[in-house]
């Protein structure tokens, strides 16, 4: 990132760059081919305190803010996309219950309770090196259409009993705790009744099932999680009751944190292409291929796209805060769309420029390309969802009404779906 960085950011990025060159990049191919979780990478992250990156310093963490996390994650993505993507799931669990939760409207008893609970979660990471996952996705149409989570938590004495199923659950079988978003199983529950609970992976009733053999992001090991009458105590809460859905509205940039991985992948594809054309790739004959003007034009196009992407990204991560403006949210959607699309376009250009040899699995470019494909469908801000939000929110202000349509912040209500009067 050729942008102004704090001393803390410079040190963290330098650390990750060293780990990436020496450890993550050499291991990436094997993890990808075997679709196995990057256990050794996480051991390196643990040993250097990076599992506690966003935990506030008073709890023993590194105290990184939102932009710092995004910059560090992008650097990890240059060397192993799957490590960066799963690191997002772990780190965001701590980010949400940490500094982002400070902006939530809690009553005094909730704040006291939250301080007590998060101290225990943070302790597990700092002292025990625990890994937190963040399984949210479920089968079928759900939250984006206003429906509640199908995974339910029923209140009992001293805790909760959870039943449900989560799909594409990254870190399945590798995490120590699954931070599950579920619905309070009470009558007439709405999205406002969402809960965020940490389930220990070894709890009775927790099962990891299904195969995992995708085209890209193979080392995320995102299998299916089943919860069958799983009991967790009250202190399993990562956020106080009924505040998760409020966070999504107060701090919407919380969903921008998948983006850094793909910034890193795009940078890696560009880096490889330049080195390849200069004859500097280890294990490949040192033949210079840079004289061809067609290749020069293609690299120029890659550079332009990369700079556009990174400039938007840098601006958007520094926009992130509670209650962002309309302009800041439009820029966040535009950033996510641009990064996800450009990452794949850069990888595709790189393959075309470098030619047939770049398709070999002995070189990283074909893996970067496969990983880059996955970004466009990442929920909740898939590229289609970003286009939908951008198109709607540039044309409507809140409360504006057409003949059959009323615009509200996160939903476009058409008269056909309104209850009869």
């Amino acid at each position: 990132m050729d942008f102004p960085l704090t001393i803390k950011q410079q040190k963290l990025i330098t650390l990750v760059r060293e780990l990436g060159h020496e450890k993550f990049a050499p291991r990436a191919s094997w993890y990808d081919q075997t679709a196995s979780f990057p256990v050794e990478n996480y051991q390196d992250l643990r040993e250097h305190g990076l599992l506690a990156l966003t935990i506030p310093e008073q709890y023993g963490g590194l105290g990184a803010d939102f932009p710092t996390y995004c910059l560090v994650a992008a650097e990890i993505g240059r060397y192993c996309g799957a490590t960066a993507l799963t690191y997002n799931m772990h780190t965001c669990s701590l980010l949400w219950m940490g500094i982002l939760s400070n902006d939530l409207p809690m009553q005094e008893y909730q704040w006291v309770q939250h301080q007590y609970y998060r101290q225990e979660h943070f302790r597990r990471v700092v002292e025990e090196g625990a890994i937190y996952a963040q399984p949210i996705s479920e089968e079928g149409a759900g939250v984006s259409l206003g429906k509640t989570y199908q995974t339910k938590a029923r209140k009992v004495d001293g805790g909760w009993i959870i039943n449900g199923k989560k799909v594409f659950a990254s870190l399945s079988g590798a995490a120590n705790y699954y931070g599950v978003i579920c619905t309070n199983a009470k009558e007439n529950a709405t999205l406002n009744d969402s809960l965020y609970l940490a389930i220990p992976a070894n709890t009775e009733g927790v099962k990891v099932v299904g195969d995992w053999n995708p085209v890209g992001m193979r080392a995320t090991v995102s299998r299916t999680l089943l919860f069958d009458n799983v009991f967790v105590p009250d202190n399993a809460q990562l956020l106080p009751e009924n505040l998760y859905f409020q966070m999504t509205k107060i701090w919407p940039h919380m969903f921008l944190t998948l983006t850094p991985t793909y910034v890193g992948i795009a940078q890696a594809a560009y880096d490889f292409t330049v080195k390849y054309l200069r004859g500097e790739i280890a294990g490949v004959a040192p033949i210079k291929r840079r004289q061809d003007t067609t290749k020069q034009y293609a690299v120029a196009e890659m550079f332009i796209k990369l700079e556009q992407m990174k400039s938007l990204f840098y601006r958007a991560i520094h926009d992130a805060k509670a209650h962002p403006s309309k302009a800041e949210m439009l820029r966040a959607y535009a950033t996510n769309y641009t990064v996800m699309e450009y990452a794949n376009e850069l990888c595709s250009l790189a393959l075309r420029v470098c030619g047939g040899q770049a398709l070999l699995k002995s070189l990283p470019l074909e893996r970067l390309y496969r990983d880059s494909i996955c970004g466009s469908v990442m929920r909740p801000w898939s590229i289609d969802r970003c286009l939908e939000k951008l198109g709607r929110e540039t044309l409507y202000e809140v409360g504006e009404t057409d003949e059959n349509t009323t615009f509200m912040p996160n939903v476009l209500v058409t008269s056909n779906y309104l209850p009869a009067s």
Side-chain angles (χ1 to χ4, degrees), residues 313-332:
F313 174 70
Y314 186 80
R315 174 68 185 273
I317 64 176
H318 286 87
D319 284 342
K321 60 178 179 293
H323 305 291
S325 68
K326 175 179 177 177
E328 288 165 338
M329 281 313 303
L330 292 177
R331 188 158 43 245

Side-chain angles (χ1 to χ4, degrees), residues 42 88 94 134 137 141 157 199-200 234 351 406:
Y42 270 77
N88 167 75
L94 310 173
Q134 199 178 59
S137 297
D157 288 343
I199 302 176
D234 285 325
L351 282 174
T406 300

Side-chain angles (χ1 to χ4, degrees), residues 132-146:
Y132 277 66
Q134 199 178 59
I136 298 178
S137 297
E138 298 180 341
E139 292 177 327
V143 177
S144 62
L145 296 180

Side-chain angles (χ1 to χ4, degrees), residues 326-372:
K326 175 179 177 177
E328 288 165 338
M329 281 313 303
L330 292 177
R331 188 158 43 245
Y333 300 141
T335 299
N336 194 72
Y337 177 90
T338 300
V339 169
M340 299 309 193
E341 286 290 85
Y342 277 17
N344 184 240
E345 289 180 21
L346 261 73
C347 288
S348 182
L349 272 170
L351 282 174
R352 192 178 79 199
V353 170
C354 296
Q357 189 166 223
L359 296 173
L360 299 176
K361 288 188 176 292
S362 58
L363 297 176
L365 194 51
E366 63 87 30
R367 183 187 74 253
L368 294 171
Y369 175 76
R370 287 186 288 104
D371 284 351
S372 74

Side-chain angles (χ1 to χ4, degrees), residues 39-102:
V39 174
E40 293 88 351
N41 291 357
Y42 270 77
Q43 184 59 33
D44 290 328
L45 292 169
R46 182 180 291 111
E47 289 176 359
H48 289 85
L50 291 168
L51 290 185
L53 177 70
T54 59
I55 293 178
E57 292 180 356
Q58 64 263 39
Y59 295 99
L62 298 183
D65 60 11
F66 187 91
T68 302
Y69 160 69
C70 290
L71 294 167
V72 168
E75 190 65 24
I76 295 175
R78 290 179 70 182
Y79 309 102
C80 181
T83 297
L85 201 60
T86 53
Y87 184 65
N88 167 75
M89 314 303 178
H90 166 80
T91 305
C92 283
S93 300
L94 310 173
L95 193 65
W96 292 3
M97 69 171 140
I99 58 176
L100 267 61
S101 69
N102 294 341

Side-chain angles (χ1 to χ4, degrees), residues 140-411:
V143 177
S144 62
L145 296 180
K147 297 182 180 180
T148 59
Y149 290 96
Q150 299 169 50
T151 302
K152 300 293 195 298
R154 177 170 56 88
K155 190 71 180 75
V156 294
D157 288 343
W160 304 84
I161 292 180
I162 302 164
N163 284 279
K165 177 181 181 180
K166 294 292 184 179
V167 298
F168 288 103
S170 297
L171 299 95
S172 53
N176 303 106
Y177 297 89
Y178 298 116
V180 175
I181 308 295
C182 49
T183 302
N184 190 336
K186 64 181 185 179
E187 190 175 357
N188 300 319
T190 69
L191 278 172
N192 287 318
D193 298 304
S194 299
L195 299 167
Y196 189 24
L197 304 171
I199 302 176
N202 59 1
T203 305
E204 183 178 356
V206 176
K207 294 182 180 179
V208 180
V209 300
D211 297 326
W212 180 245
N213 189 25
V215 64
M217 288 299 174
R218 294 170 56 79
T220 62
V221 192
S222 304
R223 297 170 66 196
T224 296
L225 286 173
L226 301 179
F227 306 107
D228 182 13
N229 288 323
V230 174
F231 173 79
V232 295
D234 285 325
N235 66 3
Q237 293 182 70
L238 295 169
L239 289 173
E241 291 179 43
N242 309 329
L243 285 182
Y244 167 77
F245 192 60
Q246 289 193 53
M247 176 177 280
T248 68
K249 294 182 285 187
I250 292 171
W251 246 101
H253 282 81
M254 64 190 281
F255 294 131
L256 192 65
T257 57
L258 292 169
T259 310
T261 295
Y262 295 90
V263 174
I265 288 172
Q267 183 71 58
Y270 174 81
D271 293 342
F272 176 89
T273 303
V274 171
K275 289 182 179 180
Y276 183 83
L277 296 179
R278 289 174 55 85
E280 297 173 350
I281 298 295
V284 176
I287 301 171
K288 294 181 173 59
R289 300 169 175 86
R290 60 189 179 187
Q291 304 92 334
D292 188 330
T293 55
T294 302
K295 296 184 184 298
Q296 293 173 9
Y297 286 176
V299 172
E301 185 178 353
M302 291 177 68
F303 179 82
I304 291 168
K305 288 181 180 293
L306 188 63
E307 287 300 303
Q308 290 171 338
M309 172 199 300
K310 291 195 296 187
S311 295
L312 263 178
F313 174 70
Y314 186 80
R315 174 68 185 273
I317 64 176
H318 286 87
D319 284 342
K321 60 178 179 293
H323 305 291
S325 68
K326 175 179 177 177
E328 288 165 338
M329 281 313 303
L330 292 177
R331 188 158 43 245
Y333 300 141
T335 299
N336 194 72
Y337 177 90
T338 300
V339 169
M340 299 309 193
E341 286 290 85
Y342 277 17
N344 184 240
E345 289 180 21
L346 261 73
C347 288
S348 182
L349 272 170
L351 282 174
R352 192 178 79 199
V353 170
C354 296
Q357 189 166 223
L359 296 173
L360 299 176
K361 288 188 176 292
S362 58
L363 297 176
L365 194 51
E366 63 87 30
R367 183 187 74 253
L368 294 171
Y369 175 76
R370 287 186 288 104
D371 284 351
S372 74
I373 294 171
C374 303
S376 65
V377 297
M378 290 286 177
R379 294 182 179 180
W381 286 3
S382 66
I383 60 170
D384 288 341
R385 184 68 168 153
C386 288
L387 287 175
E388 177 190 4
K389 286 178 171 289
L390 283 166
R392 187 175 65 213
E393 295 178 24
T394 52
L395 295 173
Y396 288 84
E397 298 296 334
V398 176
E400 284 193 332
T401 303
D402 291 334
E403 183 177 350
N404 294 317
T405 304
T406 300
F407 174 65
M408 298 303 290
N410 290 307
V411 64

